[in-house]
Amino acid sequence: MTNLAPKIKLSNGQEMPVLGLGTWKSFESEAYQSTKNAIDIGYRHIDTAFVYENEQEVGQAVREKIAEGVIKREEIFITTKLGGIHHDPELVERAFRLSLSNLGLEYIDLYLMHLPIGQKFHNDSNVHGTLELTDVDYLDTWREMEKLVDLGLARGIGLSNFNAAQTERVLANCRIKPVVNQVECHPGFQQQKLREHAKQHGLVICAYCPLARPQPARQWPAFIYDEQAQQLAKKYGRSTAQICLRYLIQIGVVPLPKSSNKTRIEENFKVFDFELSAEDVRAMEGYQTGQRTVPFSGMSGHKYYPFNDEF
């Protein structure tokens, strides 16, 4: 019997495994193989997005594992995201159906608005859009996302890269509440205030870049490479990455580590059979630098740019 991750209950009653496979920068055959490996290892939560250009490969891997009888559709939690080029209200449902068709599934467990900022639409294949930004109000986009839940196509909807004020604006004006906010979060960028805010408002924080995209040549970040991190890892008989993921899970965050290396995908999953002491959680908190690795700086002049606020 494969060991599975525990689940966290979302505000709409859905249950989400507390750790998922991230697939940003996993291209084509890599995304396909990583997803298959992850499911075999025990992952039941896969995170993709329209802009990752790998929904087809992720979907193919999931469907093959269903066909092999390894999983049933209802046993796996699939998240994808609405790209900036599809924020215009009349484009939202079509964009969703494009993602659904890429994945080859009947429904999506969670559909996120990737950013609060819209980009000018040229065509669907211009996936990343350009820095021609639009003034589409994310509330108008959100109202169209709510209709996907009404249609039974998305089980839950949520946010990504929203700050606290923007989250509150959605909550004050929505019919269907966002269940998560997916943001950058790791020991170097802990999002403490945003996490507290999310908790007060019933949202779960999911973490992209939970290991801050390590750079071995630079021995960065410190929480993966420095002496204290090595000592902590040694104390628990784990890797520094496992310590980091365990820390995030213990503070109530759902990490989405990305890897295409089967050994690392497996290592990242082996974090449910030990617990960090309160003292070691405090030691991890000492790594906070406030430094983002993904600042979306090309959008910083936009009125909905989320990162000018403190949180």
Side-chain angles (χ1 to χ4, degrees), residues 125-266:
S125 56
N126 183 25
V127 171
H128 298 280
T130 61
L131 285 175
E132 297 170 275
L133 307 178
T134 68
D135 281 338
V136 176
D137 188 332
Y138 54 82
L139 288 183
D140 294 330
T141 311
W142 184 258
R143 290 185 184 108
E144 296 303 311
M145 289 172 63
E146 291 177 323
K147 293 176 188 172
L148 301 170
V149 180
D150 299 336
L151 292 167
L153 295 172
R155 298 279 162 97
I157 47 177
L159 310 171
S160 181
N161 297 301
F162 273 60
N163 64 31
Q166 291 169 331
T167 303
E168 279 189 37
R169 188 166 170 250
V170 172
L171 288 167
N173 293 281
C174 68
R175 194 166 52 78
I176 297 175
K177 285 184 175 181
V179 289
V180 313
N181 187 8
Q182 186 183 126
V183 294
E184 176 175 350
C185 184
H186 46 75
F189 195 75
Q190 291 166 25
Q191 297 274 25
Q192 190 186 351
K193 289 185 173 170
L194 189 67
R195 284 192 281 116
E196 283 167 10
H197 181 271
K199 195 172 180 180
Q200 281 164 11
H201 292 87
L203 281 83
V204 167
I205 292 288
C206 296
Y208 66 78
C209 298
L211 306 174
R213 300 162 73 197
Q215 299 171 29
R218 279 180 60 203
Q219 293 284 287
W220 184 90
F223 59 81
I224 297 290
Y225 295 105
D226 81 1
E227 182 57 30
Q228 177 182 258
Q230 304 291 340
Q231 288 304 322
L232 259 184
K234 200 169 163 187
K235 173 178 170 181
Y236 289 93
R238 302 287 164 155
S239 70
T240 54
Q242 286 171 316
I243 298 292
C244 172
L245 295 171
R246 181 69 216 173
Y247 160 72
L248 291 171
I249 290 166
Q250 282 185 221
I251 62 170
V253 171
V254 174
L256 305 166
K258 178 260 167 185
S259 181
S260 51
N261 175 308
K262 189 177 180 180
T263 309
R264 273 201 294 274
I265 292 173
E266 190 160 14

Side-chain angles (χ1 to χ4, degrees), residues 50-119:
F50 177 73
V51 302
Y52 298 174
E53 298 181 89
N54 60 18
E55 289 172 319
Q56 288 180 354
E57 292 73 24
V58 167
Q60 185 189 346
V62 169
R63 292 193 318 273
E64 284 181 17
K65 288 294 163 190
I66 292 170
E68 287 171 25
V70 177
I71 48 168
K72 298 186 178 83
R73 171 63 187 96
E74 61 274 17
E75 291 170 345
I76 191 156
F77 193 101
I78 305 289
T79 299
T80 193
K81 310 179 191 77
L82 177 79
I85 63 167
H86 292 131
H87 274 221
D88 279 338
E90 64 272 17
L91 296 176
V92 173
E93 186 182 332
R94 194 175 65 75
F96 176 87
R97 289 185 183 276
L98 185 57
S99 283
L100 195 62
S101 145
N102 284 342
L103 286 156
L105 299 172
E106 311 278 298
Y107 66 90
I108 303 289
D109 297 277
L110 182 61
Y111 196 50
L112 305 182
M113 196 184 314
H114 211 143
L115 275 164
I117 302 167
Q119 295 161 280

Side-chain angles (χ1 to χ4, degrees), residues 4 8 11 23 25-26 32 37 41 47 118-119 133 135 155 171 185 199 257 268 298 300:
L4 303 179
I8 190 167
S11 64
T23 62
K25 292 188 186 286
S26 282
Y32 166 72
N37 288 340
I41 287 159
D47 182 86
Q119 295 161 280
L133 307 178
D135 281 338
R155 298 279 162 97
L171 288 167
C185 184
K199 195 172 180 180
N268 290 343
S300 60

